[in-house]
């Protein structure tokens, strides 16, 4: 057999290549996987945001309840001094007023109204802190830059208005309960009747006798006007003061950093409350108008009418009645509030 024949018989046949694969299915699979990954990322981000918002609410509620309970006796004394008549007032000083409450009503009198105050302040503080955190994120474009002072003031003001609008009826009822059992010179029948009212029955009384829902929101405008700048100054001052003190060292949570946070909160609260205190007096005056008692001073047709009558009868300092009790109250209250909020928030973030 010739060499050519042998070569021809042993050489492999022509190779068969697989048909080319179309790139379209691969591209579709890649697109689907990318879309699924993007959707999962969005879902995780949404869950993370919801969890963080819940943390803000819980921390804010704890901060509010703790801060009000610490200063409940001074809070009640402040309200009594604000609403009593200018002439013949029964609560003339801080020590005298606290002793009078203790002598006549005991420990229960010191804490009277604190239960509903905590029920009010917990959601109030929760909405305030959560709103402020969300507004900070909005104004900083998702934390891409540090807020300046006007942005902090705006975020604080809007957070204050949001918190007031959601909890105002509870604040009004709390004010009524705080003065119902006090010896302000209210006529015996009215005093004894209102003294027996609880939170729910007092709310129903206001609703039935003072114009329904409108009665429960009496004084809301004056309150918002006072709370918006107060909360704005509060947050702005606290954020600014933190830059001068060592407040962010986790290792010092029970030492220097903790004291610094308390000091920053106390100073911020004192500054903001002093500047906006007249609006707080007007708020209390408007909230007790419906009680119609001579012991509570004259009746007012509105916030401006109240300003004119107070200044005419008592001078400018009539708008600062109760400020001493408030100063003693606001420093520890705001200090505890900010400290508790950051403590609970950081704790929740660490266990999440």
């Amino acid at each position: 057999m010739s060499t050519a024949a042998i070569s021809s018989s042993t050489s492999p046949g022509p190779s068969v290549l697989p048909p080319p694969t179309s790139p379209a299915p691969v591209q579709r699979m890649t697109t689907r996987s990318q879309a699924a990954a993007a959707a999962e990322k969005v879902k995780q981000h949404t869950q993370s945001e919801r969890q963080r918002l819940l943390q803000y609410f819980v921390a804010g509620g704890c901060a509010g309840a703790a801060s009000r309970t610490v200063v409940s006796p001074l809070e009640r004394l402040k309200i009594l001094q604000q609403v009593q008549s200018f002439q013949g007032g029964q609560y003339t000083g801080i020590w005298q007023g606290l002793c009078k409450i203790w002598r006549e009503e005991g420990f229960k009198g010191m804490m009277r109204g604190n239960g509903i105050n905590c029920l009010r302040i917990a959601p109030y503080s929760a909405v305030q802190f959560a709103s402020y955190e969300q507004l900070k994120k909005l104004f900083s474009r998702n934390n891409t830059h540090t807020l300046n002072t006007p942005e902090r003031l705006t975020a604080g003001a809007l957070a204050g208005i949001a918190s007031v609008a959601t909890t105002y009826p509870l604040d009004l009822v709390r004010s009524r309960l705080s003065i119902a059992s006090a010896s302000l010179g209210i006529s015996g029948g009215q005093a004894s009747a209102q003294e027996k009212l609880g939170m729910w029955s007092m709310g129903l009384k206001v609703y039935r006798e003072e114009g329904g829902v409108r009665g429960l929101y009496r004084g809301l405008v004056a309150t918002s006007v006072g709370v918006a700048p107060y909360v704005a100054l509060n947050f702005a001052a606290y954020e600014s003061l933190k830059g001068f003190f060592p407040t962010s060292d986790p290792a010092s949570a029970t030492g220097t950093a903790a004291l610094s946070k308390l000091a920053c909160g106390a100073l911020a609260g004192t500054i903001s409350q002093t500047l906006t205190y007249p609006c707080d007096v007007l708020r209390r005056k408007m909230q007790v108008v419906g009680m119609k008692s001579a012991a509570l001073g004259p009746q007012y047709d509105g916030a401006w009418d109240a300003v004119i009558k107070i200044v005419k009868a008592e001078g400018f300092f009539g708008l600062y009645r109760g400020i001493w009790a408030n100063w003693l109250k606001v420093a520890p209250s705001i200090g505890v509030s900010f400290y508790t909020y950051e403590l609970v928030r950081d704790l929740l973030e660490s266990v999440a």
Side-chain angles (χ1 to χ4, degrees):
M1 185 180 292
S2 66
T3 305
I6 296 173
S7 174
S8 175
S9 63
T10 60
S11 62
S15 60
V16 180
L17 299 175
T21 303
S22 174
V26 177
Q27 292 177 350
R28 284 197 294 268
M29 291 177 61
T30 304
T31 303
R32 288 172 184 171
S33 62
Q34 291 175 343
E40 182 65 22
K41 187 176 181 180
V42 170
K43 181 180 178 181
Q44 292 177 353
H45 177 74
T46 302
Q47 291 177 343
S48 176
E49 287 298 309
R50 288 176 179 173
Q51 185 178 26
R52 190 174 292 111
L53 185 62
L54 180 60
Q55 291 170 353
Y56 295 153
F57 268 97
V58 173
C62 292
S67 65
R68 287 305 187 270
T69 302
V70 166
V71 296
S72 179
L74 288 169
E75 175 69 14
R76 188 181 180 214
L77 176 61
K78 182 200 74 171
I79 294 175
L80 294 175
Q81 289 182 335
Q82 285 178 336
V83 302
Q84 68 182 353
S85 178
F86 175 57
Q87 296 179 341
Q90 301 292 313
Y91 300 85
T92 56
I94 297 174
W95 183 250
Q96 177 271 339
L98 291 175
C99 289
K100 180 177 175 61
I101 294 173
W102 180 266
R103 185 172 58 253
E104 296 179 353
E105 304 177 57
F107 178 77
K108 186 177 180 180
M110 289 285 193
M111 305 301 292
R112 186 168 179 81
N114 187 60
I116 189 172
N117 197 25
C118 288
L119 287 177
R120 176 192 71 90
I121 203 64
Y124 172 89
S125 185
V127 170
Q128 187 178 106
F129 276 105
S131 298
Y132 182 70
E133 294 284 2
Q134 293 300 104
L135 288 165
K136 276 204 311 182
K137 186 176 180 180
L138 175 64
F139 290 159
S140 64
R141 295 177 180 83
N142 206 18
N143 299 321
T144 57
H145 76 274
T146 304
L147 295 183
N148 56 35
T149 300
E151 289 173 333
R152 286 175 180 170
L153 289 171
T154 303
L158 293 175
I161 293 173
S163 57
V164 166
T166 54
T167 61
Y168 189 78
L170 287 172
D171 186 36
L172 183 141
V173 172
R174 191 266 303 213
S175 295
R176 297 292 182 89
L177 289 175
S178 292
I179 69 173
S181 63
S183 56
L184 291 169
I186 299 176
S187 59
Q190 184 180 0
S192 60
Q194 297 201 43
E195 184 178 348
K196 298 176 183 178
L197 295 178
M199 178 181 68
W200 182 249
S201 53
M202 178 65 82
L204 286 176
K205 175 180 172 61
V206 174
Y207 181 83
R208 291 168 179 167
E209 299 179 4
E210 301 180 33
V213 174
R214 184 178 179 181
L216 291 171
Y217 280 89
R218 187 191 300 274
L220 175 62
V221 175
T223 300
S224 299
V225 169
V227 167
Y230 166 68
V231 177
L233 290 168
N234 214 10
F235 278 113
Y238 180 73
E239 298 276 5
S240 299
L241 288 168
K242 281 205 305 183
F244 298 97
F245 296 93
T247 60
S248 58
D249 183 10
S252 303
T254 58
T256 305
L259 292 176
S260 297
K261 290 178 181 179
L262 289 169
C264 289
L267 187 55
T270 302
I271 293 171
S272 57
Q273 186 70 68
T274 301
L275 294 175
T276 60
Y277 189 76
C279 290
D280 191 44
V281 173
L282 291 177
R283 170 172 61 135
R284 299 302 178 195
K285 291 288 189 182
M286 297 306 299
Q287 286 177 343
V288 299
V289 163
M291 298 184 79
K292 295 183 173 65
S293 170
L296 300 176
Q299 296 293 299
Y300 306 109
D301 295 328
W304 184 244
D305 180 57
V307 171
I308 294 174
K309 290 181 178 178
I310 291 172
V311 173
K312 185 180 294 185
E314 308 174 41
F316 175 75
F317 290 103
L319 296 172
Y320 279 88
R321 185 193 295 178
I323 188 67
W324 288 104
N326 196 63
W327 275 335
L328 290 177
K329 173 190 76 76
V330 75
S333 175
I334 301 302
V336 169
S337 178
F338 276 114
Y339 174 70
T340 304
Y341 172 73
E342 295 194 358
L343 182 67
V344 176
R345 182 197 62 190
D346 295 342
L347 178 63
L348 292 175
E349 288 178 351
S350 66
V351 300

